[in-house]
Amino acid sequence: MKSSVKLIPMIVLFCIAGVFAEDWPQYLGPSRNSTSGQKGLLRSWPENGPEVLWTVTVGRGFGGPVVKDGKVYLLDRDDKVGDNLRCFDLSNGKELWNFAYDAPGRVMFPGSRSVPAVDGNYVYSCGHNGDLYCININTRKPVWNKNIWKDFGGERLPLWAITQCPLIYGDLLIILSQAPEAGVVAYNKLTGNIVWKTPNLGNETYASPAIVKIAGEDHIAMVISSTNPFGHRELPKTLGKIVGIRPLTGEILWEYTNWQNHIQVASALDAGEGRVLVVGGYELGTVMIKVEKKADGSYSVKELFRHNDFGDHTKPPILHNGYFYAQFSANSKRDGLTCMNMNGEIKWKTGSSPLFDKGSMILADGLILATDGRNTLYLIEPDPSGFKPLASSELLKEGGTSSDDPLASRVGGTTQNWAPLALADGKLLIRDQSQLKCVKVAQ
């Protein structure tokens, strides 16, 4: 009897710690939907902002971190040299090890691109030039590596290089090549052997694979750009598409072929009940489709709505209590943080007061942590009745492309703090164009 009394508080503490310390092992978090099970978020911040626990110097770019078992992984980059996978201690920012390889080259909006994935004893990353590596986190040496672009007939890189964030699905690593001889590719995650690949799916795209649930089954949803009228004037103008793929075999199950966004960066979002929401910034906008399995085993695709009053250039929206939240700002749009219901009706927009433009957001404990794409981190209560900021702090510095890339500076601004966030153990990982910071955001 005495031992059972002692066990109760230990069990409670274990359960609390389990929720508190949830990892952020891949792009957009544990479920790849910008949502964390983290509890105990601070509801207010000190006047000078949340506590910054540590800061490290990083190279220019847009690659975000992941966190697993108290360690932070970031694919950093020097365009003159190559890619550098770095591992830091989450508690103090100390760099524990790194693995660098030659991959020189530069495109508009230079620097790092992607987010690694950690699974078991391995970390996977895909670099600017298409170099895909599996690194053993104990030996800190590569187990295997491929090039998802050159291996499938790719020559000149896409306009903004390779921006793929690997998806681990069971024994597979799934990633988009979109080189002439392959579309989506699945590798055995331990050996690097190709398990399946689809044909090329159309135009270039910068979106990573997502998982959506259709009739109780997992499908890979892949979003392909429409033809870029500025970057590829020589090509015939074709629409983009949303493609559903069977994860274990690569079989293409369904397609939606009326998507029009010529720089697709945001992945698809599972909106529940067979609905898939896709957003972009050039020129749409958003579309909601519903995919249903028919009696003969095939699939039907129905467009539920499609318009240009909601979107996001760089990331999928957050879904909370039946409402979507996204940052809809692009070259010709300044709608800011925008809220939309499940039927496609806009509830509110912040516009330029304040402007949210290509920032990153995480939903945790009923709150949204959001960067505005420039200098400021916000704490927001998601509410369809209106924008409800609880706190804000200028934590990020300017430092995007400037005189060395005048076109990118003109169309993207001089700040360009667009990297994805990560949240683990009450700590938010946030970066600008020169520093990675760890910020205390929970009790």
Side-chain angles (χ1 to χ4, degrees):
M1 187 70 180
K2 289 182 180 179
S3 61
S4 63
V5 171
K6 290 179 180 178
L7 279 173
I8 291 173
M10 291 181 68
I11 292 171
V12 171
L13 285 172
F14 177 79
C15 292
I16 292 172
V19 173
F20 188 76
E22 184 178 43
D23 286 327
W24 193 270
Q26 63 173 334
Y27 175 57
L28 304 179
S31 299
R32 219 168 167 93
N33 63 354
S34 305
T35 301
S36 169
Q38 173 80 60
K39 301 297 182 183
L41 251 65
L42 298 168
R43 257 53 186 177
S44 62
W45 295 340
E47 186 176 345
N48 60 347
E51 181 183 0
V52 177
L53 300 175
W54 51 261
T55 301
V56 297
T57 300
V58 297
R60 178 186 287 177
F62 312 95
V66 292
V67 185
K68 188 174 188 298
D69 298 332
K71 295 181 175 61
V72 179
Y73 301 89
L74 177 78
L75 185 63
D76 208 350
R77 179 168 176 80
D78 182 329
D79 283 329
K80 294 180 181 179
V81 180
D83 298 320
N84 185 10
L85 181 66
R86 305 171 68 184
C87 175
F88 305 95
D89 188 320
L90 177 62
S91 65
N92 57 25
K94 179 183 177 182
E95 185 161 355
L96 302 175
W97 58 270
N98 74 296
F99 176 79
Y101 55 89
D102 293 340
R106 176 188 168 103
V107 294
M108 191 189 304
F109 300 105
S112 61
R113 259 58 185 152
S114 63
V115 179
V118 192
D119 180 76
N121 292 322
Y122 306 95
V123 56
Y124 302 86
S125 66
C126 185
H128 174 283
N129 294 352
D131 296 294
L132 176 62
Y133 272 87
C134 168
I135 306 294
N136 185 306
I137 61 177
N138 296 317
T139 66
R140 304 164 186 180
K141 295 180 179 180
V143 179
W144 57 265
N145 67 282
K146 307 289 181 180
N147 189 290
I148 67 169
W149 183 247
K150 294 178 181 178
D151 290 352
F152 302 106
E155 295 180 359
R156 181 182 176 186
L157 284 173
L159 287 173
W160 291 283
I162 305 295
T163 64
Q164 285 296 297
C165 305
L167 167 66
I168 303 298
Y169 186 87
D171 294 331
L172 303 178
L173 181 152
I174 299 172
I175 201 162
L176 182 83
S177 166
Q178 211 52 356
E181 300 166 11
V184 179
V185 182
Y187 298 89
N188 180 292
K189 68 181 182 181
L190 298 181
T191 67
N193 294 332
I194 296 173
V195 177
W196 56 258
K197 64 184 179 74
T198 72
N200 181 284
L201 298 176
N203 298 307
E204 67 188 44
T205 191
Y206 304 93
S208 295
I211 294 291
V212 298
K213 192 75 76 174
I214 305 296
E217 301 172 349
D218 288 342
H219 290 192
I220 298 167
M222 197 65 240
V223 189
I224 307 300
S225 308
S226 54
T227 307
N228 189 316
F230 306 103
H232 290 293
R233 299 176 188 272
E234 77 284 2
L235 295 179
K237 302 303 181 286
T238 57
L239 291 171
K241 62 178 72 172
I242 308 166
V243 183
I245 300 169
R246 196 181 302 280
L248 296 182
T249 66
E251 177 188 2
I252 295 178
L253 301 173
W254 50 267
E255 290 188 355
Y256 169 82
T257 58
N258 195 32
W259 179 237
Q260 186 179 357
N261 176 48
H262 61 257
I263 308 174
Q264 186 65 42
V265 182
S267 304
L269 178 70
D270 188 339
E273 300 179 1
R275 295 167 298 195
V276 180
L277 185 76
V278 170
V279 295
Y282 310 98
E283 288 302 320
L284 287 175
T286 188
V287 66
M288 174 90 85
I289 60 174
K290 185 174 179 64
V291 183
E292 295 183 303
K293 190 172 186 178
K294 298 189 289 188
D296 64 1
S298 63
Y299 295 85
S300 64
V301 180
K302 178 182 179 182
E303 180 183 295
L304 300 181
F305 61 80
R306 177 176 178 265
H307 59 68
N308 201 31
D309 290 322
F310 185 86
D312 198 303
H313 183 176
T314 59
K315 300 165 194 76
I318 280 175
L319 173 58
H320 179 62
N321 290 342
Y323 293 88
F324 301 99
Y325 299 84
Q327 300 190 22
F328 195 21
S329 296
N331 290 357
S332 58
K333 277 279 184 180
R334 288 293 182 270
D335 287 354
L337 185 61
T338 305
C339 175
M340 180 181 74
N341 70 13
M342 197 63 70
N343 296 320
E345 299 165 344
I346 304 303
K347 307 305 293 183
W348 52 261
K349 302 178 181 181
T350 63
S352 57
S353 300
L355 178 64
F356 289 82
D357 184 4
K358 306 180 186 70
S360 182
M361 302 193 292
I362 289 175
L363 175 69
D365 201 16
L367 298 172
I368 292 176
L369 292 159
T371 57
D372 63 0
R374 299 184 311 285
N375 307 105
T376 306
L377 175 69
Y378 284 84
L379 180 66
I380 302 166
E381 180 183 343
D383 191 324
S385 69
F387 175 56
K388 293 187 176 180
L390 302 180
S392 64
S393 179
E394 289 195 7
L395 290 175
L396 304 175
K397 298 179 180 179
E398 294 210 359
T401 54
S402 55
S403 59
D404 59 345
D405 200 339
L407 179 58
S409 179
R410 179 169 61 83
V411 300
T414 59
T415 306
Q416 300 173 15
N417 292 327
W418 306 333
L421 305 170
L423 177 64
D425 199 20
K427 302 175 178 70
L428 183 72
L429 281 300
I430 177 174
R431 65 159 294 175
D432 55 28
Q433 291 286 334
S434 62
Q435 295 180 324
L436 172 68
K437 294 184 177 184
C438 178
V439 181
K440 182 179 178 181
V441 294
Q443 302 283 358

